[in-house]
Amino acid sequence: MLRKIRQNIVQRVESAIASAQSVGDLPEFTLPEIFVERPREPHHGDFAVPVALSLARAVGRPPLEIAQTIVRFVSPPPHIGEIVVAPPGFINFHLDRSFIQDTVTKIIQDGSGYGNLDLGQGKRVQVEFVSANPTGPLTIGRGRGGIIGDTLARALTAAGYRVQREYYYNDAGRQIELLGESLQIRYRQLLGQVATLAEEHYQGEYLYWLAAALVAEHGDSLLDEPLSLFASVAERAIFASIRATLSRLNIDFDRFYNEHDLFTSGRMWEALEQLKERGHVYEAEGAQWFRSRALGDEKDRVLIRSSGDPTYRMTDIAYHWHKVQRGFDRIVDIFGADHHATAPTVLMGLEALGYEPERIQIVIHQFVTLIRDGQQVRMSTRRGHFVTLDELMDEVGADAVRYFMLARSSNSTIDFDLDVALEQSNKNPVFYIQNAHVRCAGILRRWVEEGRDPEADRSADPGLLAHDSELAFLRKALDLPDVLELVVSEYEPHRLAFYSYDLAQIFHQTYEQCRVLDDDVPEPLQVARLRFYRAAKQLFALVLDLMGMTAPEVM
């Protein structure tokens, strides 16, 4: 709604300037782009247009005078109650108070659909994220990618897109061989045989417990079994664990895509042949090379090694080639910082295959550092010295993990402070936000416990919600559609974390200043405020759900 109001303001200011020029109140000039800003101070209005400041030189008059001239010709847009000129030349638009107050009714009527947009108009979007190979438990870095991807998928759905969540993985190759060898060695060690893990093997404790389960079930009967059995057992068990971990984090997928399918279907070699036919592949040193430098890369890249095996760049190009063939209007890839060098090559590969790389958006997220007692927790995946996502959730809870992973921009590193995440106070933003929902639930619960009609607020008059704090909260509630639009257009899910915290800040001030059940509050105002807190509760539940978090009734 605010987006439409802003657009309307721009149109009406443009029309006002044209009208002023037509009667000679303003000279002829080329109209600059008109921007609509949000003033920092509420008393300055809800929208500010600084166009008069940029016209001072062209018009040859002070910006304040130009702004006053423009305003004389502006017809008030819908939902605007007042237009005021303020020094040094701003045109400030104030939303009509009744429009702000009616937001309470709209939140309740729209339910979980409040703030939803029709930007996507049913277009298909695929979001690929996590995509960890089944070689070990999910680490916190993979968890950040999962949370970013899932939150983006939720926001895209709310913005009117049809979203498919996809997990891409490889359960073959040298990594899986090493995994099988690692499990086999652990199994033999538990049976008293001499076997030693090499530096390249996986040494995490999870393989020890998996080996112990094999010994308990099979004894020594697996000693002569081939390596492939151990690799298969490890892969299946770890993948089941990964899916269980993601479920705890409130993350589900629509499709799991195995890299092996690229080979069995022939798509891998079809993509290579297409690149060859288009003149983008040449042979040198026994390998097949991609002419990526001609497309802007710093050097050409190997696609097929001299051994005949494809590189991960080739498989990624083939995988994305199949993605675009599946008819998605937009494709979003969530990658860790270790993919920053390979991602551009994939886009070049699609361009070489005749597809527009603009259809694919790659979001690179930075690393996560755990902090405990002010000190960094050291981790190494191969050595087995790492904190798993499950361990992190066991300690601080899934909601805290999700929020703290979202609380910074994807291109910023995160210092995940365990001490803050464990705080049951306003120092912990998760507690702070969820407690707003709890407080709303408490008011509604107490109303009923005191024997009052639970449906009394159906006839509430929102026009009684005149306190500055109430209006400030409702203004913030009106911002949700704009926040959603920024999230899906800029691929910045952290904006939801920022918004939820700002919303909670305003709410807690309102809660302290605008009581419902106090004896000195007139009954009509009590009922109106009950309606207000019902709407606030619903809004917090909605925003928390967009972030994949729960909305507790008590804490």
Side-chain angles (χ1 to χ4, degrees):
M1 176 60 75
L2 293 189
R3 179 166 163 264
K4 291 181 180 178
I5 293 174
R6 280 201 304 272
Q7 291 172 345
N8 203 285
I9 287 172
V10 170
Q11 293 168 0
R12 294 188 182 228
V13 169
E14 287 176 346
S15 178
I17 292 172
S19 297
Q21 289 176 320
S22 68
V23 298
D25 284 8
L26 287 176
E28 294 296 323
F29 51 78
T30 301
L31 187 65
E33 184 176 1
I34 294 175
F35 297 98
V36 179
E37 303 173 351
R38 297 300 298 272
R40 291 184 180 180
E41 298 296 330
H43 64 273
H44 287 163
D46 297 284
F47 306 100
V49 176
V51 65
L53 302 175
S54 59
L55 292 177
R57 179 171 294 185
V59 175
R61 284 153 55 186
L64 191 64
E65 185 180 325
I66 297 170
Q68 290 168 339
T69 300
I70 293 171
V71 165
R72 288 203 304 271
F73 293 88
V74 173
S75 57
H79 311 303
I80 294 296
E82 187 179 21
I83 304 173
V84 178
V85 174
F90 287 97
I91 303 173
N92 293 334
F93 294 77
H94 296 253
L95 286 171
D96 184 79
R97 176 173 286 194
S98 64
F99 171 74
I100 299 170
Q101 293 163 330
D102 285 342
T103 304
V104 165
T105 303
K106 183 166 181 57
I107 292 171
I108 293 173
Q109 287 179 344
D110 289 358
S112 61
Y114 175 76
N116 283 6
L117 306 169
D118 193 28
L119 289 176
Q121 298 181 332
K123 292 179 181 178
R124 297 181 66 219
V125 177
Q126 187 219 59
V127 185
E128 183 220 331
F129 53 104
V130 182
S131 297
N133 291 334
T135 57
L138 284 181
T139 61
I140 59 174
R142 292 288 190 178
R144 185 181 190 191
I147 292 161
I148 289 171
D150 182 67
T151 307
L152 268 177
R154 291 167 184 265
L156 284 162
T157 300
Y161 293 90
R162 288 185 294 142
V163 180
Q164 183 197 66
R165 296 164 168 85
E166 184 155 295
Y167 186 123
Y168 173 66
Y169 69 100
N170 178 20
D171 61 358
R174 182 57 180 157
Q175 275 189 325
I176 301 300
E177 286 180 10
L178 286 172
L179 181 68
E181 290 173 8
S182 305
L183 177 58
Q184 187 180 54
I185 290 167
R186 285 297 193 196
Y187 174 74
R188 289 174 174 172
Q189 287 175 341
L190 288 175
L191 291 171
Q193 294 197 353
V194 177
T196 306
L197 290 170
E199 183 72 22
E200 63 179 351
H201 285 131
Y202 293 94
Q203 303 183 33
E205 196 173 86
Y206 59 96
L207 288 175
Y208 175 89
W209 293 113
L210 186 53
L214 289 178
V215 171
E217 184 176 355
H218 301 284
D220 62 359
S221 65
L222 303 180
L223 282 174
D224 295 326
E225 291 293 330
L227 179 65
S228 59
L229 179 138
F230 290 91
S232 177
V233 167
E235 181 267 322
R236 287 199 309 271
I238 291 171
F239 210 174
S241 173
I242 286 173
R243 295 182 74 161
T245 300
L246 291 170
S247 181
R248 286 185 68 188
L249 208 52
N250 204 11
I251 295 176
D252 295 304
F253 286 89
D254 302 302
R255 179 170 180 172
F256 290 84
Y257 192 116
N258 193 333
E259 182 184 299
H260 185 62
D261 292 345
L262 293 172
F263 294 88
T264 57
S265 65
R267 294 188 189 97
M268 170 76 230
W269 308 113
E270 288 175 21
L272 180 63
E273 287 305 312
Q274 284 289 316
L275 288 171
K276 287 180 178 180
E277 289 178 14
R278 292 169 175 269
H280 295 290
V281 178
Y282 66 93
E283 293 192 18
E285 302 173 359
Q288 298 186 53
W289 295 72
F290 179 34
R291 298 183 191 276
S292 54
R293 205 164 101 177
L295 296 169
D297 205 350
E298 60 183 3
K299 61 180 180 180
D300 291 344
R301 308 289 181 174
V302 176
L303 295 179
I304 306 296
R305 300 183 183 92
S306 57
S307 64
D309 296 323
T311 63
Y312 50 84
R313 282 188 170 89
M314 183 64 241
T315 54
D316 280 354
I317 290 172
Y319 170 51
H320 282 78
W321 184 53
H322 187 221
K323 280 190 183 188
V324 294
Q325 289 177 323
R326 282 187 269 162
F328 295 109
D329 298 288
R330 195 193 306 191
I331 292 167
V332 183
D333 291 336
I334 314 297
F335 292 149
D338 53 340
H339 282 72
H340 78 279
T342 60
T345 310
V346 173
L347 298 182
M348 292 172 192
L350 285 179
E351 183 180 357
L353 287 165
Y355 291 94
E356 297 176 355
E358 291 78 16
R359 289 173 61 182
I360 297 182
Q361 177 67 38
I362 294 176
V363 178
I364 301 288
H365 64 85
Q366 297 301 316
F367 299 104
V368 180
T369 300
L370 284 185
I371 305 295
R372 190 192 301 277
D373 298 327
Q375 300 296 317
Q376 180 178 340
V377 179
R378 299 290 177 182
M379 292 182 285
S380 168
T381 304
R382 183 59 61 85
R383 297 295 300 170
H385 302 150
F386 59 91
V387 177
T388 68
L389 260 182
D390 279 312
E391 290 170 331
L392 188 58
M393 285 189 282
D394 288 343
E395 185 165 358
V396 304
D399 287 340
V401 172
R402 287 200 66 125
Y403 184 85
F404 279 88
M405 293 294 191
L406 278 178
R408 296 288 302 275
S409 167
S410 301
N411 56 23
S412 300
T413 57
I414 287 179
D415 287 339
F416 194 119
D417 194 318
L418 293 165
D419 300 317
V420 173
L422 287 168
E423 280 264 5
Q424 291 293 302
S425 74
N426 290 342
K427 293 180 181 178
N428 179 353
V430 179
F431 178 89
Y432 191 59
I433 296 163
Q434 289 181 325
N435 192 40
H437 184 270
V438 169
R439 281 180 152 179
C440 293
I443 290 171
L444 297 171
R445 190 168 53 249
R446 280 185 57 202
W447 181 276
V448 174
E449 288 171 353
E450 292 184 5
R452 306 192 190 204
D453 179 5
E455 303 292 327
D457 58 307
R458 283 185 175 273
S459 60
D461 178 7
L464 297 176
L465 301 171
H467 194 284
D468 286 346
S469 293
E470 292 167 335
L471 296 172
F473 182 85
L474 295 175
R475 281 188 171 93
K476 196 65 181 178
L478 284 166
D479 282 343
L480 181 58
D482 287 357
V483 173
L484 269 176
E485 184 175 354
L486 281 171
V487 169
V488 301
S489 62
E490 302 296 327
Y491 306 94
E492 295 182 341
H494 68 276
R495 292 181 180 275
L496 281 170
F498 291 176
Y499 175 77
S500 64
Y501 188 82
D502 290 345
L503 190 69
Q505 274 191 313
I506 299 170
F507 171 84
H508 288 300
Q509 294 172 7
T510 308
Y511 178 83
E512 296 299 334
Q513 297 170 1
C514 302
R515 296 295 185 175
V516 178
L517 300 169
D518 288 1
D519 292 337
D520 60 345
V521 179
E523 184 177 349
L525 182 55
Q526 285 186 335
V527 173
R529 285 180 174 172
L530 183 71
R531 195 71 168 168
F532 172 88
Y533 285 109
R534 191 184 301 278
K537 179 177 183 288
Q538 188 169 296
L539 181 60
F540 278 109
L542 188 159
V543 174
L544 285 164
D545 185 66
L546 281 170
M547 295 188 291
M549 297 166 62
T550 61
E553 297 281 321
V554 294
M555 291 177 71

